[in-house]
Amino acid sequence: MPAVSKGDGMRGLAVFISDIRNCKSKEAEIKRINKELANIRSKFKGDKALDGYSKKKYVCKLLFIFLLGHDIDFGHMEAVNLLSSNRYTEKQIGYLFISVLVNSNSELIRLINNAIKNDLASRNPTFMGLALHCIASVGSREMAEAFAGEIPKVLVAGDTMDSVKQSAALCLLRLYRTSPDLVPMGDWTSRVVHLLNDQHLGVVTAATSLITTLAQKNPEEFKTSVSLAVSRLSRIVTSASTDLQDYTYYFVPAPWLSVKLLRLLQCYPPPDPAVRGRLTECLETILNKAQEPPKSKKVQHSNAKNAVLFEAISLIIHHDRCVGCLCTGSRCGRVRKPFLRDYVNCCPRSFSLEDGRPGPCVLRCLRLCRLSSWPSCR
């Protein structure tokens, strides 16, 4: 772990922020900022070499000034130099400055990429996390060219810590969204699917987001994720809230992960009969839980519960199950009409054809819900 000293608090920065807050007018604030900028510039250009603490303090001041809305045209090189430090606080400030102020077309990108490569190769989980966060924050094509082939290796490596796996999955997702042509499919795709079985639900949540996006354009590469997603969903919906204490939100176990898994399953047609039976049981459980008395009167509970319910209904519709059976009580579940009415009003696109008109099975649904007209798809 990086060395973090108790004396890392920057008194000079605290005094500067206090002075800014005590300014009585905008003119007084600008005068104080210009004075500080002149002092920082003289320190950077001085003959005396600055230690890591001083660089960190002055870079922090520049970052604060930038966040106040003032332009900063120097200090970038000093921030890059902080990346080579072995002290966590100095490296953290360097990455923070770069993530906020450095343009993707900057001449310093090569130096930044070299520092990031060193941190990814260090196997220090804290430094690796900082590097991955920086890549995702900048998200430029140059970053994708440099690291799109390296991040999958970090993601599927057996000795990678859970926190780094989460960051790597979300970082790769960011690069794929900005430069999909630069993220190569390879042997890692079959290994990343097995992250759906990971014991750490944070890793599973991040991996599900990545796999869902990748599967939309490369369904064959990730078709094995269907059975794993159904298995994980089954374990969530059948568990008690006490079994997933760290991931239970207002008595709803892992609602975000449940929604993501249901969306992943919508990338594929209905699974084979063996998996379909288990999926049907999951959907029945979700639909039946929606009719149970609420365990909390707070809106957060109903929001989480309905989010999972609506996504389950979307999956049923995606699998071409008759919408009306949700009201009448067939094998795929029993939902009272108010739930379906709310879903129709909230998600009309789920029932609609490409031209925005309702699909053929919606007419029965409208009659069951007693809706006089079809909700507009805005």
PDB file of all heavy atoms in Angstrom, residues 220-249:
ATOM      1  N   GLU A 220     -22.732 -13.298 -30.594  1.00  0.00           N
ATOM      2  CA  GLU A 220     -22.187 -14.652 -30.596  1.00  0.00           C
ATOM      3  C   GLU A 220     -21.031 -14.802 -29.616  1.00  0.00           C
ATOM      4  O   GLU A 220     -20.830 -15.873 -29.044  1.00  0.00           O
ATOM      5  CB  GLU A 220     -21.728 -15.036 -32.009  1.00  0.00           C
ATOM      6  CG  GLU A 220     -22.865 -15.329 -32.962  1.00  0.00           C
ATOM      7  CD  GLU A 220     -23.719 -16.484 -32.479  1.00  0.00           C
ATOM      8  OE1 GLU A 220     -23.149 -17.515 -32.077  1.00  0.00           O
ATOM      9  OE2 GLU A 220     -24.960 -16.357 -32.509  1.00  0.00           O
ATOM     10  N   GLU A 221     -20.254 -13.739 -29.444  1.00  0.00           N
ATOM     11  CA  GLU A 221     -19.093 -13.793 -28.556  1.00  0.00           C
ATOM     12  C   GLU A 221     -19.506 -13.984 -27.096  1.00  0.00           C
ATOM     13  O   GLU A 221     -18.739 -14.519 -26.293  1.00  0.00           O
ATOM     14  CB  GLU A 221     -18.270 -12.511 -28.691  1.00  0.00           C
ATOM     15  CG  GLU A 221     -17.614 -12.305 -30.044  1.00  0.00           C
ATOM     16  CD  GLU A 221     -16.314 -13.064 -30.164  1.00  0.00           C
ATOM     17  OE1 GLU A 221     -15.866 -13.635 -29.155  1.00  0.00           O
ATOM     18  OE2 GLU A 221     -15.749 -13.081 -31.273  1.00  0.00           O
ATOM     19  N   PHE A 222     -20.724 -13.548 -26.757  1.00  0.00           N
ATOM     20  CA  PHE A 222     -21.117 -13.523 -25.338  1.00  0.00           C
ATOM     21  C   PHE A 222     -22.403 -14.311 -25.078  1.00  0.00           C
ATOM     22  O   PHE A 222     -23.050 -14.093 -24.054  1.00  0.00           O
ATOM     23  CB  PHE A 222     -21.301 -12.072 -24.884  1.00  0.00           C
ATOM     24  CG  PHE A 222     -20.057 -11.242 -25.010  1.00  0.00           C
ATOM     25  CD1 PHE A 222     -19.830 -10.477 -26.151  1.00  0.00           C
ATOM     26  CD2 PHE A 222     -19.106 -11.237 -24.012  1.00  0.00           C
ATOM     27  CE1 PHE A 222     -18.678  -9.718 -26.275  1.00  0.00           C
ATOM     28  CE2 PHE A 222     -17.947 -10.482 -24.132  1.00  0.00           C
ATOM     29  CZ  PHE A 222     -17.731  -9.723 -25.269  1.00  0.00           C
ATOM     30  N   LYS A 223     -22.771 -15.227 -25.981  1.00  0.00           N
ATOM     31  CA  LYS A 223     -24.022 -15.961 -25.803  1.00  0.00           C
ATOM     32  C   LYS A 223     -23.980 -16.882 -24.583  1.00  0.00           C
ATOM     33  O   LYS A 223     -25.031 -17.236 -24.038  1.00  0.00           O
ATOM     34  CB  LYS A 223     -24.363 -16.742 -27.056  1.00  0.00           C
ATOM     35  CG  LYS A 223     -23.351 -17.810 -27.448  1.00  0.00           C
ATOM     36  CD  LYS A 223     -23.754 -18.482 -28.754  1.00  0.00           C
ATOM     37  CE  LYS A 223     -22.744 -19.559 -29.160  1.00  0.00           C
ATOM     38  NZ  LYS A 223     -23.131 -20.207 -30.445  1.00  0.00           N
ATOM     39  N   THR A 224     -22.775 -17.265 -24.148  1.00  0.00           N
ATOM     40  CA  THR A 224     -22.684 -18.111 -22.945  1.00  0.00           C
ATOM     41  C   THR A 224     -23.062 -17.357 -21.680  1.00  0.00           C
ATOM     42  O   THR A 224     -23.225 -17.968 -20.622  1.00  0.00           O
ATOM     43  CB  THR A 224     -21.262 -18.676 -22.794  1.00  0.00           C
ATOM     44  OG1 THR A 224     -20.324 -17.592 -22.762  1.00  0.00           O
ATOM     45  CG2 THR A 224     -20.917 -19.600 -23.955  1.00  0.00           C
ATOM     46  N   SER A 225     -23.195 -16.027 -21.786  1.00  0.00           N
ATOM     47  CA  SER A 225     -23.551 -15.235 -20.606  1.00  0.00           C
ATOM     48  C   SER A 225     -25.004 -15.439 -20.203  1.00  0.00           C
ATOM     49  O   SER A 225     -25.371 -15.123 -19.061  1.00  0.00           O
ATOM     50  CB  SER A 225     -23.305 -13.742 -20.879  1.00  0.00           C
ATOM     51  OG  SER A 225     -24.158 -13.264 -21.909  1.00  0.00           O
ATOM     52  N   VAL A 226     -25.833 -15.969 -21.101  1.00  0.00           N
ATOM     53  CA  VAL A 226     -27.260 -16.103 -20.805  1.00  0.00           C
ATOM     54  C   VAL A 226     -27.488 -17.031 -19.613  1.00  0.00           C
ATOM     55  O   VAL A 226     -28.171 -16.673 -18.643  1.00  0.00           O
ATOM     56  CB  VAL A 226     -28.016 -16.623 -22.046  1.00  0.00           C
ATOM     57  CG1 VAL A 226     -29.477 -16.923 -21.686  1.00  0.00           C
ATOM     58  CG2 VAL A 226     -27.960 -15.594 -23.172  1.00  0.00           C
ATOM     59  N   SER A 227     -26.922 -18.214 -19.658  1.00  0.00           N
ATOM     60  CA  SER A 227     -27.140 -19.166 -18.561  1.00  0.00           C
ATOM     61  C   SER A 227     -26.544 -18.647 -17.254  1.00  0.00           C
ATOM     62  O   SER A 227     -27.135 -18.833 -16.171  1.00  0.00           O
ATOM     63  CB  SER A 227     -26.529 -20.523 -18.913  1.00  0.00           C
ATOM     64  OG  SER A 227     -25.131 -20.406 -19.160  1.00  0.00           O
ATOM     65  N   LEU A 228     -25.393 -17.988 -17.336  1.00  0.00           N
ATOM     66  CA  LEU A 228     -24.774 -17.445 -16.126  1.00  0.00           C
ATOM     67  C   LEU A 228     -25.602 -16.297 -15.556  1.00  0.00           C
ATOM     68  O   LEU A 228     -25.721 -16.157 -14.331  1.00  0.00           O
ATOM     69  CB  LEU A 228     -23.350 -16.967 -16.441  1.00  0.00           C
ATOM     70  CG  LEU A 228     -22.358 -18.055 -16.874  1.00  0.00           C
ATOM     71  CD1 LEU A 228     -21.008 -17.428 -17.225  1.00  0.00           C
ATOM     72  CD2 LEU A 228     -22.178 -19.085 -15.779  1.00  0.00           C
ATOM     73  N   ALA A 229     -26.165 -15.463 -16.442  1.00  0.00           N
ATOM     74  CA  ALA A 229     -27.003 -14.353 -15.980  1.00  0.00           C
ATOM     75  C   ALA A 229     -28.269 -14.865 -15.308  1.00  0.00           C
ATOM     76  O   ALA A 229     -28.692 -14.341 -14.270  1.00  0.00           O
ATOM     77  CB  ALA A 229     -27.353 -13.443 -17.160  1.00  0.00           C
ATOM     78  N   VAL A 230     -28.872 -15.903 -15.874  1.00  0.00           N
ATOM     79  CA  VAL A 230     -30.074 -16.489 -15.270  1.00  0.00           C
ATOM     80  C   VAL A 230     -29.741 -17.090 -13.909  1.00  0.00           C
ATOM     81  O   VAL A 230     -30.495 -16.938 -12.935  1.00  0.00           O
ATOM     82  CB  VAL A 230     -30.677 -17.559 -16.202  1.00  0.00           C
ATOM     83  CG1 VAL A 230     -31.802 -18.308 -15.495  1.00  0.00           C
ATOM     84  CG2 VAL A 230     -31.193 -16.914 -17.479  1.00  0.00           C
ATOM     85  N   SER A 231     -28.598 -17.760 -13.815  1.00  0.00           N
ATOM     86  CA  SER A 231     -28.196 -18.366 -12.547  1.00  0.00           C
ATOM     87  C   SER A 231     -27.980 -17.304 -11.478  1.00  0.00           C
ATOM     88  O   SER A 231     -28.435 -17.454 -10.335  1.00  0.00           O
ATOM     89  CB  SER A 231     -26.907 -19.176 -12.752  1.00  0.00           C
ATOM     90  OG  SER A 231     -26.433 -19.689 -11.525  1.00  0.00           O
ATOM     91  N   ARG A 232     -27.299 -16.218 -11.843  1.00  0.00           N
ATOM     92  CA  ARG A 232     -27.057 -15.143 -10.878  1.00  0.00           C
ATOM     93  C   ARG A 232     -28.363 -14.453 -10.499  1.00  0.00           C
ATOM     94  O   ARG A 232     -28.594 -14.149  -9.322  1.00  0.00           O
ATOM     95  CB  ARG A 232     -26.078 -14.134 -11.469  1.00  0.00           C
ATOM     96  CG  ARG A 232     -25.842 -12.904 -10.629  1.00  0.00           C
ATOM     97  CD  ARG A 232     -25.256 -13.226  -9.273  1.00  0.00           C
ATOM     98  NE  ARG A 232     -23.849 -13.560  -9.360  1.00  0.00           N
ATOM     99  CZ  ARG A 232     -23.042 -13.731  -8.308  1.00  0.00           C
ATOM    100  NH1 ARG A 232     -23.528 -13.616  -7.092  1.00  0.00           N
ATOM    101  NH2 ARG A 232     -21.778 -14.058  -8.463  1.00  0.00           N
ATOM    102  N   LEU A 233     -29.235 -14.222 -11.460  1.00  0.00           N
ATOM    103  CA  LEU A 233     -30.524 -13.585 -11.170  1.00  0.00           C
ATOM    104  C   LEU A 233     -31.349 -14.451 -10.233  1.00  0.00           C
ATOM    105  O   LEU A 233     -31.998 -13.945  -9.308  1.00  0.00           O
ATOM    106  CB  LEU A 233     -31.278 -13.343 -12.474  1.00  0.00           C
ATOM    107  CG  LEU A 233     -32.634 -12.654 -12.362  1.00  0.00           C
ATOM    108  CD1 LEU A 233     -32.476 -11.241 -11.829  1.00  0.00           C
ATOM    109  CD2 LEU A 233     -33.343 -12.627 -13.714  1.00  0.00           C
ATOM    110  N   SER A 234     -31.309 -15.757 -10.436  1.00  0.00           N
ATOM    111  CA  SER A 234     -32.056 -16.679  -9.582  1.00  0.00           C
ATOM    112  C   SER A 234     -31.573 -16.592  -8.142  1.00  0.00           C
ATOM    113  O   SER A 234     -32.382 -16.590  -7.202  1.00  0.00           O
ATOM    114  CB  SER A 234     -31.908 -18.109 -10.113  1.00  0.00           C
ATOM    115  OG  SER A 234     -32.537 -19.034  -9.252  1.00  0.00           O
ATOM    116  N   ARG A 235     -30.268 -16.503  -7.964  1.00  0.00           N
ATOM    117  CA  ARG A 235     -29.733 -16.417  -6.609  1.00  0.00           C
ATOM    118  C   ARG A 235     -30.133 -15.119  -5.928  1.00  0.00           C
ATOM    119  O   ARG A 235     -30.296 -15.068  -4.705  1.00  0.00           O
ATOM    120  CB  ARG A 235     -28.213 -16.545  -6.649  1.00  0.00           C
ATOM    121  CG  ARG A 235     -27.714 -17.975  -6.746  1.00  0.00           C
ATOM    122  CD  ARG A 235     -26.202 -18.034  -6.782  1.00  0.00           C
ATOM    123  NE  ARG A 235     -25.700 -17.846  -8.144  1.00  0.00           N
ATOM    124  CZ  ARG A 235     -24.423 -17.653  -8.441  1.00  0.00           C
ATOM    125  NH1 ARG A 235     -23.515 -17.599  -7.473  1.00  0.00           N
ATOM    126  NH2 ARG A 235     -24.045 -17.511  -9.694  1.00  0.00           N
ATOM    127  N   ILE A 236     -30.286 -14.049  -6.714  1.00  0.00           N
ATOM    128  CA  ILE A 236     -30.643 -12.756  -6.124  1.00  0.00           C
ATOM    129  C   ILE A 236     -32.106 -12.723  -5.714  1.00  0.00           C
ATOM    130  O   ILE A 236     -32.450 -12.347  -4.590  1.00  0.00           O
ATOM    131  CB  ILE A 236     -30.342 -11.613  -7.119  1.00  0.00           C
ATOM    132  CG1 ILE A 236     -28.832 -11.480  -7.335  1.00  0.00           C
ATOM    133  CG2 ILE A 236     -30.911 -10.295  -6.606  1.00  0.00           C
ATOM    134  CD1 ILE A 236     -28.454 -10.492  -8.404  1.00  0.00           C
ATOM    135  N   VAL A 237     -32.987 -13.125  -6.635  1.00  0.00           N
ATOM    136  CA  VAL A 237     -34.425 -12.970  -6.365  1.00  0.00           C
ATOM    137  C   VAL A 237     -34.925 -13.959  -5.324  1.00  0.00           C
ATOM    138  O   VAL A 237     -35.965 -13.720  -4.690  1.00  0.00           O
ATOM    139  CB  VAL A 237     -35.236 -13.122  -7.672  1.00  0.00           C
ATOM    140  CG1 VAL A 237     -34.846 -12.060  -8.669  1.00  0.00           C
ATOM    141  CG2 VAL A 237     -35.092 -14.515  -8.263  1.00  0.00           C
ATOM    142  N   THR A 238     -34.200 -15.046  -5.119  1.00  0.00           N
ATOM    143  CA  THR A 238     -34.632 -16.027  -4.117  1.00  0.00           C
ATOM    144  C   THR A 238     -33.955 -15.830  -2.770  1.00  0.00           C
ATOM    145  O   THR A 238     -34.256 -16.553  -1.819  1.00  0.00           O
ATOM    146  CB  THR A 238     -34.337 -17.466  -4.601  1.00  0.00           C
ATOM    147  OG1 THR A 238     -32.931 -17.600  -4.863  1.00  0.00           O
ATOM    148  CG2 THR A 238     -35.135 -17.783  -5.851  1.00  0.00           C
ATOM    149  N   SER A 239     -33.063 -14.858  -2.677  1.00  0.00           N
ATOM    150  CA  SER A 239     -32.341 -14.637  -1.424  1.00  0.00           C
ATOM    151  C   SER A 239     -33.113 -13.682  -0.533  1.00  0.00           C
ATOM    152  O   SER A 239     -33.891 -12.845  -1.011  1.00  0.00           O
ATOM    153  CB  SER A 239     -30.951 -14.064  -1.701  1.00  0.00           C
ATOM    154  OG  SER A 239     -31.060 -12.772  -2.260  1.00  0.00           O
ATOM    155  N   ALA A 240     -32.893 -13.793   0.745  1.00  0.00           N
ATOM    156  CA  ALA A 240     -33.472 -12.849   1.695  1.00  0.00           C
ATOM    157  C   ALA A 240     -32.620 -11.591   1.724  1.00  0.00           C
ATOM    158  O   ALA A 240     -31.441 -11.607   1.381  1.00  0.00           O
ATOM    159  CB  ALA A 240     -33.540 -13.482   3.084  1.00  0.00           C
ATOM    160  N   SER A 241     -33.230 -10.502   2.154  1.00  0.00           N
ATOM    161  CA  SER A 241     -32.490  -9.234   2.182  1.00  0.00           C
ATOM    162  C   SER A 241     -31.289  -9.302   3.114  1.00  0.00           C
ATOM    163  O   SER A 241     -30.299  -8.605   2.913  1.00  0.00           O
ATOM    164  CB  SER A 241     -33.420  -8.094   2.610  1.00  0.00           C
ATOM    165  OG  SER A 241     -33.972  -8.362   3.894  1.00  0.00           O
ATOM    166  N   THR A 242     -31.367 -10.183   4.115  1.00  0.00           N
ATOM    167  CA  THR A 242     -30.247 -10.296   5.051  1.00  0.00           C
ATOM    168  C   THR A 242     -29.056 -11.027   4.427  1.00  0.00           C
ATOM    169  O   THR A 242     -27.937 -10.913   4.920  1.00  0.00           O
ATOM    170  CB  THR A 242     -30.696 -11.056   6.312  1.00  0.00           C
ATOM    171  OG1 THR A 242     -31.282 -12.310   5.924  1.00  0.00           O
ATOM    172  CG2 THR A 242     -31.733 -10.241   7.086  1.00  0.00           C
ATOM    173  N   ASP A 243     -29.304 -11.782   3.340  1.00  0.00           N
ATOM    174  CA  ASP A 243     -28.206 -12.507   2.696  1.00  0.00           C
ATOM    175  C   ASP A 243     -27.312 -11.591   1.875  1.00  0.00           C
ATOM    176  O   ASP A 243     -26.153 -11.911   1.597  1.00  0.00           O
ATOM    177  CB  ASP A 243     -28.766 -13.609   1.784  1.00  0.00           C
ATOM    178  CG  ASP A 243     -29.518 -14.671   2.571  1.00  0.00           C
ATOM    179  OD1 ASP A 243     -29.235 -14.802   3.777  1.00  0.00           O
ATOM    180  OD2 ASP A 243     -30.386 -15.344   1.990  1.00  0.00           O
ATOM    181  N   LEU A 244     -27.851 -10.458   1.442  1.00  0.00           N
ATOM    182  CA  LEU A 244     -27.094  -9.506   0.617  1.00  0.00           C
ATOM    183  C   LEU A 244     -27.120  -8.133   1.280  1.00  0.00           C
ATOM    184  O   LEU A 244     -27.507  -7.132   0.672  1.00  0.00           O
ATOM    185  CB  LEU A 244     -27.704  -9.421  -0.792  1.00  0.00           C
ATOM    186  CG  LEU A 244     -27.704 -10.720  -1.611  1.00  0.00           C
ATOM    187  CD1 LEU A 244     -28.515 -10.538  -2.878  1.00  0.00           C
ATOM    188  CD2 LEU A 244     -26.289 -11.133  -1.964  1.00  0.00           C
ATOM    189  N   GLN A 245     -26.714  -8.108   2.536  1.00  0.00           N
ATOM    190  CA  GLN A 245     -26.854  -6.880   3.320  1.00  0.00           C
ATOM    191  C   GLN A 245     -26.149  -5.689   2.681  1.00  0.00           C
ATOM    192  O   GLN A 245     -26.684  -4.581   2.652  1.00  0.00           O
ATOM    193  CB  GLN A 245     -26.312  -7.111   4.731  1.00  0.00           C
ATOM    194  CG  GLN A 245     -27.185  -8.025   5.582  1.00  0.00           C
ATOM    195  CD  GLN A 245     -26.672  -8.163   6.990  1.00  0.00           C
ATOM    196  OE1 GLN A 245     -25.635  -7.626   7.336  1.00  0.00           O
ATOM    197  NE2 GLN A 245     -27.403  -8.899   7.818  1.00  0.00           N
ATOM    198  N   ASP A 246     -24.945  -5.915   2.139  1.00  0.00           N
ATOM    199  CA  ASP A 246     -24.183  -4.808   1.569  1.00  0.00           C
ATOM    200  C   ASP A 246     -24.777  -4.312   0.255  1.00  0.00           C
ATOM    201  O   ASP A 246     -24.417  -3.233  -0.214  1.00  0.00           O
ATOM    202  CB  ASP A 246     -22.728  -5.231   1.340  1.00  0.00           C
ATOM    203  CG  ASP A 246     -21.993  -5.475   2.647  1.00  0.00           C
ATOM    204  OD1 ASP A 246     -22.457  -4.953   3.681  1.00  0.00           O
ATOM    205  OD2 ASP A 246     -20.969  -6.180   2.648  1.00  0.00           O
ATOM    206  N   TYR A 247     -25.660  -5.105  -0.363  1.00  0.00           N
ATOM    207  CA  TYR A 247     -26.218  -4.728  -1.658  1.00  0.00           C
ATOM    208  C   TYR A 247     -27.745  -4.703  -1.628  1.00  0.00           C
ATOM    209  O   TYR A 247     -28.387  -4.792  -2.664  1.00  0.00           O
ATOM    210  CB  TYR A 247     -25.720  -5.686  -2.746  1.00  0.00           C
ATOM    211  CG  TYR A 247     -24.248  -5.517  -3.027  1.00  0.00           C
ATOM    212  CD1 TYR A 247     -23.304  -6.228  -2.303  1.00  0.00           C
ATOM    213  CD2 TYR A 247     -23.799  -4.608  -3.977  1.00  0.00           C
ATOM    214  CE1 TYR A 247     -21.946  -6.061  -2.524  1.00  0.00           C
ATOM    215  CE2 TYR A 247     -22.448  -4.427  -4.210  1.00  0.00           C
ATOM    216  CZ  TYR A 247     -21.526  -5.160  -3.479  1.00  0.00           C
ATOM    217  OH  TYR A 247     -20.181  -4.959  -3.711  1.00  0.00           O
ATOM    218  N   THR A 248     -28.319  -4.585  -0.448  1.00  0.00           N
ATOM    219  CA  THR A 248     -29.770  -4.467  -0.310  1.00  0.00           C
ATOM    220  C   THR A 248     -30.144  -2.999  -0.152  1.00  0.00           C
ATOM    221  O   THR A 248     -29.602  -2.293   0.689  1.00  0.00           O
ATOM    222  CB  THR A 248     -30.265  -5.266   0.904  1.00  0.00           C
ATOM    223  OG1 THR A 248     -30.010  -6.655   0.679  1.00  0.00           O
ATOM    224  CG2 THR A 248     -31.764  -5.063   1.103  1.00  0.00           C
ATOM    225  N   TYR A 249     -31.067  -2.548  -1.001  1.00  0.00           N
ATOM    226  CA  TYR A 249     -31.486  -1.147  -1.004  1.00  0.00           C
ATOM    227  C   TYR A 249     -32.961  -1.081  -0.601  1.00  0.00           C
ATOM    228  O   TYR A 249     -33.822  -1.501  -1.360  1.00  0.00           O
ATOM    229  CB  TYR A 249     -31.281  -0.550  -2.399  1.00  0.00           C
ATOM    230  CG  TYR A 249     -31.650   0.908  -2.533  1.00  0.00           C
ATOM    231  CD1 TYR A 249     -30.810   1.905  -2.030  1.00  0.00           C
ATOM    232  CD2 TYR A 249     -32.821   1.302  -3.167  1.00  0.00           C
ATOM    233  CE1 TYR A 249     -31.130   3.232  -2.160  1.00  0.00           C
ATOM    234  CE2 TYR A 249     -33.151   2.639  -3.305  1.00  0.00           C
ATOM    235  CZ  TYR A 249     -32.302   3.601  -2.793  1.00  0.00           C
ATOM    236  OH  TYR A 249     -32.614   4.936  -2.919  1.00  0.00           O
TER     237      TYR A 249
END
